[in-house]
Amino acid sequence: MTSARAPRRTSSPTTGDVPTAAFVVVANRLHVDRVEDPDGSTAWRTSPGGLVTALEPVLRRNQGAWIGWHGAPDEVVEPFVQDGFQVVPVPLSRQELEEYYEGFSNASLWPLYHDSVALPEYHREWWDSYVTVNQRFADKAAEVAETDGVVWVQDYQLQLVPKMLRELRPDLKIGFFLHIPFPPRELFLQLPPRREVLEGLLGADLIGFQVPGAAQNFIRLVHRLTDYLTHRDAITLPSGHVALARAYPISIDAGGFQAIADSPEVIARAEEIRRDLGDPETVFLGVDRLDYTKGLRQRIKAFGELFSTGDLDQDRHVFVQVATPSRERVEHYRRLRDDIDMLVGRINGEVGRIGRSPINYLHTSVPREEMAALYRAADVMVVTPLRDGMNLVAKEYVACRTGNDGALVLSEFAGAARELKQAYLVNPYDINKTKAALLAANHASPEEKTRRMRAMRKQVFRHDIDHWAGRFLHDLSTSEAVIADQADQAG
Ligand code: ADQ
């Protein structure tokens, strides 16, 4: 895959010539956003994120391509080159955006895969649109991938792509990674097109999950819904195709975050944030996408109670919650925003006084440097999702604590809890225990905090995003050998 082959060219009636690529990433969204310059011209800006940071070198080395939607409905955008590899936009109509993305992906699959913490909704036309759009992504990948190339499909919006792509291009190595949890059998069985989704995923050579439990859930489901042979983590289809299902816990660019956190500007900004907050003894911090899976209602309630009983004192303690606007066209999300606004307003109204609000709530997205400054400024980081595939915020906080201080309160239902065992682990539904953990984290001695933080930092730095991508791509390229080995051992 890393050999330097001259790109072959293929042509397509809609997009003109797209050079073929030896390594192709397929994701719902491109890694770039269109921005308008002050003079009215438009440019593409790479949106910072772990995935693109990890995959960029591999994409560059392999005349790679990234296939994804460009963010504007009803618009066709020609492929272009950015950051040294091909960017291949896939068009979506407004109706497809409503049905495939906001509908089936985010109002059916997202809640179902997160323990049904909100009620999933199913509509047959949403599913039809999901099939149509997945086929479009598969067709594009089939067009762009070089003979014997590697295609890595990302996440729950594109679960049918592996099978569709294999039908078109059996020569390809196809990997799939699910960024969100894979639900237990009882829940998955509620999904009307459950068999189709399962078969879609089984088109891949390697199916990656965040945690081993998710891979096991998947294999159990294959048992329940099919008569395919399974042996350990290998599933053999009647066609002879073998799919492996394994865990690859995703991570962050730990070194990159550490460097930002240690820059003089960020250090100064962190001090400024603390001053602006009135130089409190303890800054508690939450940073999340505004999503009902993140446990914001329960978390804010816990803080409200701690402030009203006097366990936390607004003269000495402050809770900062930053929530990124998210999926605002989906009903559940609109309701959540109103609920959180109301809850924060009520608590601040009841407990706060002039010039002092115990909860500082910001409904905004902030740049990476500001994020690092917030992490630096926070004595206790509060990450309490009701269910989360991994949760990168927890790892980012750890990477930014370059002084080995600070404490992390972490939900046991985040994938990250498997790795960050020295966090103060909580069941976020249990508000009393969450309150106790917040106080314990606050009162821990500096030695205790350092002991825990050192161990967590070791874990995050050893298992960073490069380690994740490297392991997945290595296993994908050697999957046949792994399968042969397992077959030998089985006798
Ligand atoms: P998310 O649900 O988006 O990701 P998470 O893993 O926490 O959750 O990633 C959020 C990212 O957004 C972090 O990198 C964070 O820095 C950033 N972010 C959060 N709030 C922000 C703000 N206000 N401003 C700017 N940036 C902000 C999904 C799954 C997770 C899984 C990831 C990666 O739900 O479980 O960890 O994919 O696989």
Side-chain angles (χ1 to χ4, degrees):
M1 190 182 99
T2 50
S3 65
R5 280 178 253 183
R8 273 204 323 256
R9 298 185 79 81
T10 58
S11 63
S12 121
T14 49
T15 60
D17 281 358
V18 185
T20 56
F23 177 59
V24 180
V25 173
V26 187
N28 172 60
R29 277 303 300 267
L30 288 175
H31 65 296
V32 287
D33 288 317
R34 195 165 26 195
V35 286
E36 200 163 316
D37 289 332
D39 64 358
S41 64
T42 57
W44 294 92
R45 190 187 51 203
T46 304
S47 45
L51 194 61
V52 64
T53 312
L55 298 182
E56 220 175 56
V58 194
L59 283 159
R60 273 207 222 103
R61 266 202 313 273
N62 293 283
Q63 298 99 42
W66 188 304
I67 297 176
W69 181 50
H70 47 277
D74 291 325
E75 195 188 328
V76 175
V77 178
E78 295 294 312
F80 55 95
V81 173
Q82 170 132 339
D83 304 320
F85 57 88
Q86 283 286 323
V87 180
V88 186
V90 174
L92 287 183
S93 69
R94 184 155 300 278
Q95 190 177 349
E96 285 166 347
L97 189 65
E98 281 165 19
E99 295 178 345
Y100 143 79
Y101 181 69
E102 290 161 0
F104 195 73
S105 297
N106 287 331
S108 309
L109 292 173
W110 178 270
L112 180 74
Y113 281 29
H114 287 88
D115 284 355
S116 286
V117 296
L119 200 62
E121 245 186 86
Y122 303 107
H123 298 287
R124 279 161 284 186
E125 61 279 13
W126 289 0
W127 165 247
D128 294 342
S129 184
Y130 186 83
V131 175
T132 306
V133 172
N134 271 247
Q135 188 66 55
R136 188 173 308 144
F137 275 85
D139 290 346
K140 188 50 78 184
E143 180 192 321
V144 169
E146 194 173 285
T147 307
D148 296 330
V150 171
V151 178
W152 193 357
V153 183
Q154 308 288 328
D155 228 359
Y156 63 102
Q157 304 92 347
L158 301 175
Q159 292 174 101
L160 307 181
V161 171
K163 178 174 186 235
M164 291 169 165
L165 184 56
R166 180 163 302 284
E167 278 163 6
L168 293 165
R169 294 286 306 275
D171 58 298
L172 299 173
K173 273 273 183 203
I174 304 171
F176 179 89
F177 185 75
L178 185 68
H179 290 255
I180 67 174
F182 192 79
R185 204 174 71 169
E186 297 69 24
L187 274 179
F188 188 84
L189 288 174
Q190 293 173 6
L191 183 67
R194 57 199 190 181
R195 177 79 191 235
E196 290 86 340
V197 169
L198 211 63
E199 295 282 1
L201 292 168
L202 285 169
D205 294 284
L206 179 60
I207 311 163
F209 298 90
Q210 298 277 25
V211 292
Q216 284 150 16
N217 283 347
F218 179 76
I219 293 169
R220 271 189 221 117
L221 258 160
V222 174
H223 264 303
R224 166 72 169 76
L225 288 178
T226 74
D227 52 7
Y228 302 160
L229 279 180
T230 59
H231 175 62
R232 290 201 208 156
D233 49 15
I235 301 141
T236 307
L237 276 68
S239 64
H241 166 66
V242 181
L244 287 174
R246 290 184 163 181
Y248 298 86
I250 200 168
S251 193
I252 57 161
D253 173 16
F257 266 100
Q258 165 155 281
I260 297 174
D262 263 346
S263 70
E265 298 77 20
V266 167
I267 293 174
R269 175 65 190 140
E271 283 163 7
E272 187 181 31
I273 290 172
R274 289 193 72 103
R275 267 200 311 278
D276 288 351
L277 291 168
D279 274 325
E281 234 169 76
T282 310
V283 175
F284 293 88
L285 173 68
V287 177
D288 309 78
R289 252 186 333 96
L290 187 52
D291 194 296
Y292 51 81
T293 60
K294 301 291 183 186
L296 286 162
R297 288 188 181 97
Q298 289 82 348
R299 187 187 308 165
I300 292 170
K301 195 156 189 268
F303 274 104
E305 290 182 16
L306 287 170
F307 279 112
S308 70
T309 53
D311 286 302
L312 292 181
D313 170 359
Q314 55 180 311
D315 286 327
R316 294 187 294 132
H317 308 114
V318 61
F319 172 44
V320 178
Q321 174 66 54
V322 185
T324 325
S326 180
R327 304 177 192 166
E328 294 192 305
R329 290 163 49 92
V330 179
E331 177 57 26
H332 277 308
Y333 290 77
R334 277 200 293 264
R335 228 179 302 139
L336 175 70
R337 182 176 176 187
D338 291 346
D339 282 5
I340 299 296
D341 283 353
M342 227 158 58
L343 200 56
V344 171
R346 193 161 67 217
I347 293 167
N348 281 341
E350 280 170 10
V351 190
R353 55 181 167 68
I354 303 285
R356 272 269 190 277
S357 299
I359 304 182
N360 269 256
Y361 175 59
L362 300 173
H363 180 247
T364 181
S365 179
V366 296
R368 213 177 233 233
E369 288 69 22
E370 180 72 359
M371 198 81 124
L374 283 162
Y375 291 145
R376 260 199 97 97
D379 304 287
V380 180
M381 185 77 209
V382 193
V383 182
T384 51
L386 304 177
R387 177 63 70 191
D388 216 330
M390 177 53 60
N391 196 294
L392 298 180
V393 166
K395 293 186 174 182
E396 290 167 3
Y397 177 70
V398 168
C400 288
R401 301 309 297 187
T402 57
N404 288 310
D405 55 0
L408 173 65
V409 175
L410 177 62
S411 162
E412 47 187 87
F413 305 132
R418 283 194 77 256
E419 293 174 82
L420 304 178
K421 296 200 171 74
Q422 295 77 12
Y424 292 82
L425 293 177
V426 294
N427 167 1
Y429 291 98
D430 186 337
I431 293 183
N432 282 344
K433 295 245 172 69
T434 302
K435 283 159 58 183
L438 290 168
L439 294 177
N442 185 34
H443 293 138
S445 69
E447 296 73 28
E448 172 69 7
K449 286 184 180 159
T450 297
R451 186 186 63 75
R452 289 173 183 251
M453 189 53 75
R454 270 222 175 92
M456 292 193 286
R457 285 177 61 78
K458 208 158 149 190
Q459 170 67 27
V460 170
F461 278 83
R462 277 198 190 150
H463 301 90
D464 66 358
I465 186 83
D466 286 339
H467 180 264
W468 171 80
R471 257 191 75 216
F472 187 95
L473 291 173
H474 170 268
D475 286 3
L476 180 58
S477 65
T478 57
S479 62
E480 273 153 28
V482 174
I483 292 157
D485 201 37
Q486 289 197 2
D488 280 355
Q489 284 176 27

